[in-house]
Amino acid sequence: MVAFTKLFTSGLLATTALAAPLQKRSSSKRGAAYNDVKTVSALSNSGSVSWAYNWAMSLSGDLPSGVDYVPMLWGTKDLGGWTSTIETLLSSGSKYILGFNEPDVSSQASMSPSDAASKYKNYITPYAGKAKLISPAVTSSTNNGMGLSWFKEFMNDCSSCQISGLAVHWYGSTADEFTSFVQQAIDTAHSYNLQEVWVTEFALNSDVNGESDATTTAKFINDVIPWLDQQEGVTRYSYFMCAENYLLTGNTLNEAGKAYASA
């Protein structure tokens, strides 16, 4: 499951399970994945997020104070305007660069490991001295040539790319499945001497294409967010996503959003 194919689906179900007032839980790891920059304010106002990204190289507006923008080179369709844009962002204070979006999926960046390595070396590695470089974001698929197996092939071709961290996405059924996959990602990152893992998209499969069970959604969020905050190997994460019918209803956090902000 991937970001650009889900942008206009109805999303996370608001849950009535969290009746207590929202308690702020600040985390330097917690981020906002967005399309409309104005939607980030609701999470920012909760004091819970420190960074944001939008699967693009330009933030398309202004983020709230204290929220860092992280640019992404989504794929080959964006190569033309990349150099001038990233140099402007770096001079404005951006400290990280995200690699390609799900290159292991044909409907997304759709790149072979060797092609992705070549493009990464040419377009992202030159900025290693100015920012920390994060790998292409791979899915949690266990199919051959996808997910972490794609990443391993990529790293074999990109050992000189000066990558600092591994980015992954996850969609599945349970908190146990999620934590097991993230632990695999941490172990994989360490095997390449990478000290950071970024989980830049994650949610339950049942919450991707429509409303689901409120209790299940709230329990999942409340189970996995504290666990992520406790993992030294995970340095940043962002739930899918900061948008209407996902973490927001109107301009305010719904119950799923409140769970993400306060878990």
Coordinates of all heavy atoms in Angstrom, one line a residue, residues 11 40 69-70 77 81 126 133 145-146 149 156 162 198 208-209 212 223 232 235 240 244 249 251:
G11 N -10.4 7.5 5.3 CA -9.4 6.9 6.1 C -9.7 6.5 7.5 O -10.8 5.9 7.8
V40 N -1.1 20.5 9.0 CA -0.1 20.2 10.0 C -0.3 20.9 11.3 O 0.1 20.5 12.4 CB 1.3 20.4 9.4 CG1 2.4 20.1 10.5 CG2 1.5 19.6 8.2
Y69 N 10.9 20.8 7.9 CA 10.5 20.2 6.7 C 11.6 19.3 6.2 O 12.8 19.6 6.2 CB 10.2 21.2 5.6 CG 9.9 20.6 4.3 CD1 8.7 19.9 4.1 CD2 10.7 20.8 3.2 CE1 8.3 19.4 2.9 CE2 10.4 20.2 1.9 CZ 9.2 19.5 1.8 OH 8.9 19.0 0.6
V70 N 11.2 18.1 5.7 CA 12.2 17.1 5.2 C 11.8 16.9 3.7 O 10.8 16.3 3.4 CB 12.2 15.8 5.9 CG1 13.3 14.8 5.3 CG2 12.6 16.0 7.4
K77 N 10.6 11.2 -12.0 CA 9.8 12.3 -12.6 C 10.2 13.7 -12.0 O 9.8 14.7 -12.6 CB 8.3 12.0 -12.3 CG 7.9 12.2 -10.8 CD 6.4 11.9 -10.6 CE 6.0 12.0 -9.1 NZ 6.2 13.4 -8.6
G81 N 13.8 19.4 -11.7 CA 13.9 20.6 -10.8 C 14.6 20.4 -9.5 O 14.6 21.2 -8.6
P126 N 25.7 13.8 -3.6 CA 26.5 15.1 -3.6 C 26.2 16.0 -2.4 O 27.0 16.9 -2.1 CB 26.2 15.7 -4.9 CG 25.8 14.6 -5.8 CD 25.1 13.6 -4.9
L133 N 21.6 11.8 4.8 CA 20.9 11.2 3.6 C 20.2 9.9 4.1 O 20.8 9.0 4.7 CB 21.9 10.8 2.5 CG 22.8 12.0 2.1 CD1 23.7 11.5 1.0 CD2 22.1 13.2 1.8
G145 N 12.6 -9.5 -4.1 CA 12.9 -8.2 -4.9 C 12.1 -7.0 -4.4 O 12.1 -6.0 -5.1
M146 N 11.4 -7.2 -3.3 CA 10.7 -6.0 -2.7 C 11.1 -5.9 -1.3 O 11.8 -6.7 -0.7 CB 9.2 -6.3 -2.8 CG 8.7 -6.4 -4.3 SD 6.9 -6.6 -4.4 CE 6.3 -5.0 -3.8
S149 N 14.5 -6.9 1.0 CA 15.3 -7.6 0.0 C 15.7 -6.6 -1.1 O 16.9 -6.7 -1.6 CB 14.7 -8.8 -0.5 OG 13.6 -8.5 -1.3
N156 N 24.0 -3.0 -1.9 CA 25.2 -3.6 -2.6 C 25.7 -2.8 -3.7 O 26.9 -2.8 -4.0 CB 24.8 -5.0 -3.1 CG 24.5 -6.0 -2.0 OD1 25.0 -5.8 -0.8 ND2 23.7 -7.0 -2.3
Q162 N 27.0 7.1 1.0 CA 27.0 7.9 2.3 C 25.6 8.1 2.9 O 25.2 9.1 3.4 CB 27.6 9.3 2.0 CG 29.1 9.2 1.5 CD 29.7 10.5 1.3 OE1 29.9 11.3 2.3 NE2 30.1 10.9 0.1
W198 N 13.8 5.2 9.8 CA 12.7 6.1 9.7 C 11.5 5.3 9.2 O 11.6 4.7 8.1 CB 12.9 7.2 8.7 CG 13.9 8.3 9.1 CD1 15.1 8.1 9.8 CD2 13.9 9.7 8.8 NE1 15.7 9.3 10.0 CE2 15.0 10.3 9.4 CE3 12.9 10.5 8.1 CZ2 15.2 11.7 9.3 CZ3 13.2 11.8 8.0 CH2 14.3 12.4 8.6
V208 N -7.0 1.8 5.6 CA -6.5 2.5 4.4 C -7.6 3.0 3.5 O -7.6 4.1 3.0 CB -5.6 1.6 3.6 CG1 -5.2 2.1 2.3 CG2 -4.3 1.4 4.5
N209 N -8.6 2.1 3.2 CA -9.6 2.4 2.2 C -11.0 2.8 2.8 O -12.0 2.8 2.1 CB -9.8 1.2 1.3 CG -8.5 1.0 0.5 OD1 -8.0 2.0 0.0 ND2 -8.1 -0.2 0.3
S212 N -12.9 2.0 9.9 CA -12.8 0.6 10.4 C -13.2 0.7 11.9 O -13.9 1.6 12.3 CB -11.3 0.2 10.3 OG -11.1 -1.1 10.8
D223 N -0.6 1.2 21.2 CA 0.4 0.2 21.5 C 1.7 0.5 20.8 O 2.8 0.3 21.4 CB -0.1 -1.2 20.9 CG -1.1 -1.9 21.8 OD1 -1.3 -1.4 23.0 OD2 -1.8 -2.8 21.3
E232 N 15.8 2.9 20.3 CA 16.9 3.8 20.0 C 17.2 3.7 18.5 O 17.6 4.7 17.9 CB 18.2 3.3 20.7 CG 18.1 3.6 22.2 CD 19.4 3.3 22.9 OE1 20.4 2.9 22.2 OE2 19.4 3.4 24.2
T235 N 14.6 6.6 14.7 CA 14.8 8.1 15.0 C 13.7 9.0 14.6 O 13.5 10.1 15.1 CB 16.2 8.5 14.4 OG1 16.1 8.2 13.0 CG2 17.3 7.8 15.0
F240 N 0.3 7.4 8.8 CA -0.5 7.8 7.5 C -1.9 8.2 7.9 O -2.7 7.3 8.3 CB -0.5 6.7 6.5 CG -1.0 7.0 5.2 CD1 -0.2 7.6 4.3 CD2 -2.3 6.8 4.9 CE1 -0.7 8.0 3.0 CE2 -2.8 7.2 3.6 CZ -2.0 7.8 2.7
E244 N -7.9 15.0 6.1 CA -9.3 14.7 6.4 C -9.7 13.3 6.4 O -9.3 12.5 5.5 CB -10.2 15.5 5.4 CG -11.7 15.3 5.6 CD -12.3 16.0 6.8 OE1 -11.6 16.9 7.4 OE2 -13.4 15.6 7.3
T249 N -10.6 15.7 11.4 CA -11.9 15.9 11.0 C -12.1 17.4 11.0 O -12.0 18.1 12.0 CB -13.0 15.3 12.0 OG1 -12.8 13.9 12.0 CG2 -14.4 15.6 11.5
N251 N -10.7 20.9 10.7 CA -9.3 21.4 11.0 C -8.8 21.0 12.4 O -7.8 21.5 12.9 CB -9.4 23.0 11.0 CG -9.7 23.5 9.6 OD1 -9.2 23.0 8.6 ND2 -10.6 24.5 9.6

